[in-house]
mmCIF file of all heavy atoms in Angstrom:
data_model
loop_
_atom_site.group_PDB
_atom_site.id
_atom_site.type_symbol
_atom_site.label_atom_id
_atom_site.label_comp_id
_atom_site.label_asym_id
_atom_site.label_seq_id
_atom_site.Cartn_x
_atom_site.Cartn_y
_atom_site.Cartn_z
ATOM 1 N N THR A 529 -92.735 -108.680 -4.031
ATOM 2 C CA THR A 529 -93.878 -108.199 -3.229
ATOM 3 C C THR A 529 -93.320 -107.319 -2.130
ATOM 4 O O THR A 529 -92.079 -107.067 -2.031
ATOM 5 C CB THR A 529 -94.683 -109.291 -2.655
ATOM 6 O OG1 THR A 529 -93.814 -109.960 -1.663
ATOM 7 C CG2 THR A 529 -94.955 -110.430 -3.738
ATOM 8 N N ASP A 530 -94.295 -106.782 -1.384
ATOM 9 C CA ASP A 530 -93.860 -105.910 -0.057
ATOM 10 C C ASP A 530 -93.142 -106.753 0.808
ATOM 11 O O ASP A 530 -92.304 -106.158 1.584
ATOM 12 C CB ASP A 530 -95.062 -105.415 0.541
ATOM 13 C CG ASP A 530 -95.611 -104.061 -0.160
ATOM 14 O OD1 ASP A 530 -94.936 -103.546 -1.065
ATOM 15 O OD2 ASP A 530 -96.762 -103.712 0.102
ATOM 16 N N ARG A 531 -93.242 -108.093 0.840
ATOM 17 C CA ARG A 531 -92.669 -108.939 1.955
ATOM 18 C C ARG A 531 -91.459 -109.615 1.511
ATOM 19 O O ARG A 531 -90.681 -109.965 2.448
ATOM 20 C CB ARG A 531 -93.748 -109.870 2.473
ATOM 21 C CG ARG A 531 -94.971 -109.051 3.087
ATOM 22 C CD ARG A 531 -95.810 -110.113 3.770
ATOM 23 N NE ARG A 531 -96.878 -109.452 4.361
ATOM 24 C CZ ARG A 531 -97.885 -110.127 5.181
ATOM 25 N NH1 ARG A 531 -97.776 -111.373 5.343
ATOM 26 N NH2 ARG A 531 -98.789 -109.460 5.720
ATOM 27 N N ASN A 532 -91.169 -109.870 0.297
ATOM 28 C CA ASN A 532 -90.044 -110.707 -0.078
ATOM 29 C C ASN A 532 -88.800 -109.732 -0.569
ATOM 30 O O ASN A 532 -88.998 -108.566 -0.538
ATOM 31 C CB ASN A 532 -90.322 -111.741 -1.143
ATOM 32 C CG ASN A 532 -90.815 -111.165 -2.487
ATOM 33 O OD1 ASN A 532 -90.228 -110.020 -2.889
ATOM 34 N ND2 ASN A 532 -91.651 -111.815 -3.228
ATOM 35 N N HIS A 533 -87.679 -110.506 -0.798
ATOM 36 C CA HIS A 533 -86.542 -109.644 -1.329
ATOM 37 C C HIS A 533 -86.013 -110.167 -2.556
ATOM 38 O O HIS A 533 -84.693 -110.293 -2.780
ATOM 39 C CB HIS A 533 -85.537 -109.852 -0.163
ATOM 40 C CG HIS A 533 -85.912 -109.344 1.197
ATOM 41 N ND1 HIS A 533 -85.766 -108.071 1.508
ATOM 42 C CD2 HIS A 533 -86.487 -109.962 2.254
ATOM 43 C CE1 HIS A 533 -86.312 -107.814 2.792
ATOM 44 N NE2 HIS A 533 -86.722 -109.000 3.321
ATOM 45 N N VAL A 534 -86.925 -110.408 -3.453
ATOM 46 C CA VAL A 534 -86.442 -110.941 -4.823
ATOM 47 C C VAL A 534 -85.444 -110.040 -5.522
ATOM 48 O O VAL A 534 -84.437 -110.645 -5.883
ATOM 49 C CB VAL A 534 -87.728 -110.953 -5.811
ATOM 50 C CG1 VAL A 534 -87.380 -111.191 -7.167
ATOM 51 C CG2 VAL A 534 -88.574 -112.198 -5.323
ATOM 52 N N LEU A 535 -85.716 -108.820 -5.724
ATOM 53 C CA LEU A 535 -84.671 -107.995 -6.377
ATOM 54 C C LEU A 535 -83.466 -107.730 -5.681
ATOM 55 O O LEU A 535 -82.409 -107.618 -6.263
ATOM 56 C CB LEU A 535 -85.236 -106.599 -6.792
ATOM 57 C CG LEU A 535 -86.580 -106.598 -7.732
ATOM 58 C CD1 LEU A 535 -87.146 -105.267 -8.017
ATOM 59 C CD2 LEU A 535 -86.218 -107.381 -9.035
ATOM 60 N N ALA A 536 -83.537 -107.538 -4.284
ATOM 61 C CA ALA A 536 -82.312 -107.444 -3.448
ATOM 62 C C ALA A 536 -81.462 -108.634 -3.534
ATOM 63 O O ALA A 536 -80.246 -108.543 -3.642
ATOM 64 C CB ALA A 536 -82.833 -107.045 -1.928
ATOM 65 N N ASN A 537 -82.113 -109.801 -3.577
ATOM 66 C CA ASN A 537 -81.295 -111.121 -3.688
ATOM 67 C C ASN A 537 -80.481 -111.141 -5.028
ATOM 68 O O ASN A 537 -79.372 -111.577 -5.074
ATOM 69 C CB ASN A 537 -82.199 -112.248 -3.541
ATOM 70 C CG ASN A 537 -82.697 -112.462 -2.030
ATOM 71 O OD1 ASN A 537 -82.093 -111.945 -1.135
ATOM 72 N ND2 ASN A 537 -83.801 -113.234 -1.928
ATOM 73 N N ILE A 538 -81.270 -110.708 -6.076
ATOM 74 C CA ILE A 538 -80.593 -110.677 -7.305
ATOM 75 C C ILE A 538 -79.426 -109.727 -7.459
ATOM 76 O O ILE A 538 -78.406 -110.033 -7.859
ATOM 77 C CB ILE A 538 -81.643 -110.314 -8.451
ATOM 78 C CG1 ILE A 538 -82.653 -111.413 -8.660
ATOM 79 C CG2 ILE A 538 -80.894 -110.135 -9.847
ATOM 80 C CD1 ILE A 538 -83.860 -111.004 -9.579
ATOM 81 N N HIS A 539 -79.717 -108.543 -6.827
ATOM 82 C CA HIS A 539 -78.674 -107.520 -6.782
ATOM 83 C C HIS A 539 -77.414 -107.980 -5.943
ATOM 84 O O HIS A 539 -76.243 -107.744 -6.289
ATOM 85 C CB HIS A 539 -79.254 -106.279 -6.124
ATOM 86 C CG HIS A 539 -78.378 -105.079 -6.074
ATOM 87 N ND1 HIS A 539 -77.694 -104.677 -4.924
ATOM 88 C CD2 HIS A 539 -78.003 -104.130 -6.993
ATOM 89 C CE1 HIS A 539 -76.846 -103.705 -5.174
ATOM 90 N NE2 HIS A 539 -77.167 -103.368 -6.476
ATOM 91 N N GLU A 540 -77.672 -108.669 -4.832
ATOM 92 C CA GLU A 540 -76.616 -109.253 -3.964
ATOM 93 C C GLU A 540 -75.863 -110.173 -4.685
ATOM 94 O O GLU A 540 -74.568 -110.197 -4.455
ATOM 95 C CB GLU A 540 -77.312 -109.883 -2.725
ATOM 96 C CG GLU A 540 -76.274 -110.208 -1.714
ATOM 97 C CD GLU A 540 -75.885 -108.900 -0.790
ATOM 98 O OE1 GLU A 540 -76.538 -107.921 -0.912
ATOM 99 O OE2 GLU A 540 -74.973 -109.018 -0.141
ATOM 100 N N ARG A 541 -76.375 -111.109 -5.588
ATOM 101 C CA ARG A 541 -75.596 -112.121 -6.295
ATOM 102 C C ARG A 541 -74.654 -111.509 -7.306
ATOM 103 O O ARG A 541 -73.760 -112.180 -7.651
ATOM 104 C CB ARG A 541 -76.536 -113.055 -7.000
ATOM 105 C CG ARG A 541 -77.286 -113.903 -6.105
ATOM 106 C CD ARG A 541 -77.898 -115.157 -6.714
ATOM 107 N NE ARG A 541 -78.842 -114.747 -7.859
ATOM 108 C CZ ARG A 541 -80.107 -114.681 -7.689
ATOM 109 N NH1 ARG A 541 -80.714 -114.944 -6.602
ATOM 110 N NH2 ARG A 541 -80.898 -114.422 -8.798
ATOM 111 N N HIS A 542 -74.925 -110.289 -7.749
ATOM 112 C CA HIS A 542 -74.085 -109.684 -8.730
ATOM 113 C C HIS A 542 -73.214 -108.474 -8.190
ATOM 114 O O HIS A 542 -72.516 -107.940 -8.879
ATOM 115 C CB HIS A 542 -75.023 -109.139 -9.762
ATOM 116 C CG HIS A 542 -75.730 -110.135 -10.637
ATOM 117 N ND1 HIS A 542 -75.297 -110.821 -11.565
ATOM 118 C CD2 HIS A 542 -77.045 -110.633 -10.476
ATOM 119 C CE1 HIS A 542 -76.104 -111.773 -12.039
ATOM 120 N NE2 HIS A 542 -77.173 -111.551 -11.308
#
Side-chain angles (χ1 to χ4, degrees):
T529 71
D530 279 349
R531 296 187 177 185
N532 66 30
H533 298 277
V534 164
L535 297 180
N537 289 339
I538 294 170
H539 184 262
E540 191 76 13
R541 289 198 299 270
H542 296 276

